[in-house]
Amino acid sequence: MECTALESLIEMGFPQNRAEKALALTGNQGIEQAMDWLMEHEDDPDVDEPYVPPQGHVLGTEEPPEGSTPETVEATADLLAEGSNKHPLTEEEKREQTKRMMELIAQKQREREEREKRETIEREKQRRKQGQELSMIRQKLQEEEMKKIAEERRREKMEEKLAKQRVREKIERDKAERAKKFGSGSSSQAPAEPAQVTLVPSSPSQEPPTKREYDQCRIQVRLLDGTSLTQTFKAKEQLAAVRLYVELNRKDSGEPFHLLTSFPRRIFTEEDMEKPLQELGLVPSAVLIVAKKCTS
């Protein structure tokens, strides 16, 4: 039977070493079991290497297994004798057996293709799931960053409001002190005309106008796609705050960019990013242009 099965496998196109190994490792239980083994191990790197039987199991020399009885040994010998005395298959039987084996091969291939298809679908599902999770994480991080920026803006506006209040209070105190000073000095000289003396501190000839200090800066940024962004920053904020605002709100491809002014033309460097807007001459308002950063 072993010789017939081996010949059938060879006729179906399997190499002799592969066919011998399949029959030996399946215990010579028949062509179907050998075919199953061949289909499962067709990608093994050593599938075509000659089969080497384990030591101590040479046919006709091994001892009966422990616990075997004379009856079981005799039955095994009868089965081997029956297999060795079986007549070879006829040509028609070989063709029928080959046809059956080819149908089995086709069935095994279909099963494998279906299994690979299911595995591919499952991998695609896992990939999409991971992509959705990454997108959700990215969106959450962006939302947290926007909340952080909004909270920082709110705190800055509150500080700005308090600073303005302090400036107004100081101006009022200065006015009161000047009125008291000039009012008391004029009362000794011309007590009958106090109203004329109170007009002296407001005279431009005696008190030169002071230069106005701006604590806010209105920046307009022109993007690459022709749109623009407008935002108010503190005068002492660094130029890096403007760049961060542009990166978070731009809708283009997100390529690296420079910030520059058109008149006078000036391209701001990385060192300029650490400088306040007031020092860069962008107060009280300025127009910045986004330009692509050249890469070499």
Side-chain angles (χ1 to χ4, degrees):
M1 183 176 183
E2 180 183 354
C3 293
T4 302
L6 178 61
E7 292 175 355
S8 299
L9 291 174
I10 293 175
E11 288 180 358
M12 282 187 283
F14 292 103
Q16 183 172 352
N17 289 341
R18 188 180 299 192
E20 291 177 351
K21 182 179 291 186
L23 290 170
L25 294 179
T26 56
N28 297 315
Q29 296 181 5
I31 294 180
E32 293 187 5
Q33 286 77 6
M35 290 292 299
D36 290 339
W37 188 93
L38 288 169
M39 296 297 295
E40 293 175 0
H41 297 81
E42 63 177 347
D43 295 328
D44 291 356
D46 59 346
V47 67
D48 289 321
E49 294 182 2
Y51 173 71
V52 179
Q55 295 182 358
H57 291 80
V58 181
L59 184 61
T61 61
E62 68 270 13
E63 296 181 357
E66 184 177 355
S68 300
T69 62
E71 289 79 4
T72 58
V73 173
E74 183 178 356
T76 303
D78 292 341
L79 289 174
L80 292 174
E82 182 180 354
S84 62
N85 294 329
K86 187 175 181 67
H87 295 291
L89 297 176
T90 63
E91 291 297 327
E92 184 178 355
E93 290 173 337
K94 288 182 180 180
R95 287 194 297 270
E96 183 65 26
Q97 190 178 50
T98 301
K99 179 181 178 181
R100 188 170 67 254
M101 291 302 102
M102 296 303 294
E103 293 175 353
L104 179 61
I105 291 175
Q107 180 181 354
K108 294 294 182 181
Q109 289 178 344
R110 287 193 298 269
E111 292 176 355
R112 184 178 63 179
E113 291 174 356
E114 289 294 329
R115 183 174 64 253
E116 291 177 351
K117 184 178 180 180
R118 290 193 299 269
E119 292 174 353
T120 302
I121 294 174
E122 185 64 26
R123 286 195 299 269
E124 180 64 18
K125 289 182 179 179
Q126 292 295 330
R127 187 188 65 80
R128 292 183 179 181
K129 182 179 179 181
Q130 292 176 356
Q132 292 175 355
E133 292 176 353
L134 289 176
S135 178
M136 292 177 62
I137 292 174
R138 192 181 300 110
Q139 182 178 0
K140 184 177 179 181
L141 290 175
Q142 186 175 6
E143 291 176 355
E144 292 177 354
E145 183 67 20
M146 293 300 295
K147 288 180 180 179
K148 183 178 178 181
I149 295 175
E151 180 64 23
E152 183 69 18
R153 290 283 185 270
R154 188 189 66 80
R155 184 181 62 81
E156 291 175 355
K157 287 182 179 180
M158 182 61 67
E159 293 178 354
E160 183 179 331
K161 183 178 180 181
L162 294 175
K164 288 182 178 179
Q165 182 65 28
R166 289 193 295 268
V167 171
R168 284 194 294 267
E169 292 175 356
K170 186 177 183 304
I171 292 174
E172 293 297 330
R173 287 195 302 269
D174 292 342
K175 287 182 178 180
E177 291 176 0
R178 287 197 300 270
K180 183 179 179 180
K181 178 179 177 181
F182 289 100
S184 60
S186 61
S187 60
S188 59
Q189 297 177 1
E193 298 179 0
Q196 295 178 359
V197 178
T198 56
L199 297 176
V200 174
S202 61
S203 175
S205 61
Q206 295 185 4
E207 188 173 328
T210 58
K211 183 178 180 181
R212 183 176 178 181
E213 294 291 337
Y214 295 94
D215 55 1
Q216 283 189 343
C217 177
R218 186 174 183 271
I219 299 295
Q220 181 182 15
V221 182
R222 296 177 182 175
L223 303 178
L224 295 171
D225 58 359
T227 60
S228 62
L229 300 172
T230 304
Q231 182 64 22
T232 302
F233 299 90
K234 294 184 67 176
K236 295 182 178 180
E237 278 191 271
Q238 297 178 347
L239 183 59
V242 180
R243 181 172 64 180
L244 177 60
Y245 175 77
V246 174
E247 290 175 350
L248 293 175
N249 291 276
R250 62 192 298 200
K251 304 298 183 181
D252 53 16
S253 59
E255 298 179 354
F257 62 90
H258 283 300
L259 290 176
L260 56 91
T261 56
S262 59
F263 184 80
R265 182 171 179 82
R266 177 181 179 182
I267 299 177
F268 294 103
T269 63
E270 289 298 327
E271 295 180 358
D272 295 331
M273 295 298 160
E274 304 298 327
K275 298 180 181 179
L277 302 175
Q278 190 174 26
E279 182 180 340
L280 295 173
L282 302 178
V283 176
S285 64
V287 177
L288 299 180
I289 301 174
V290 172
K292 290 183 179 180
K293 183 179 291 185
C294 297
T295 57
S296 56

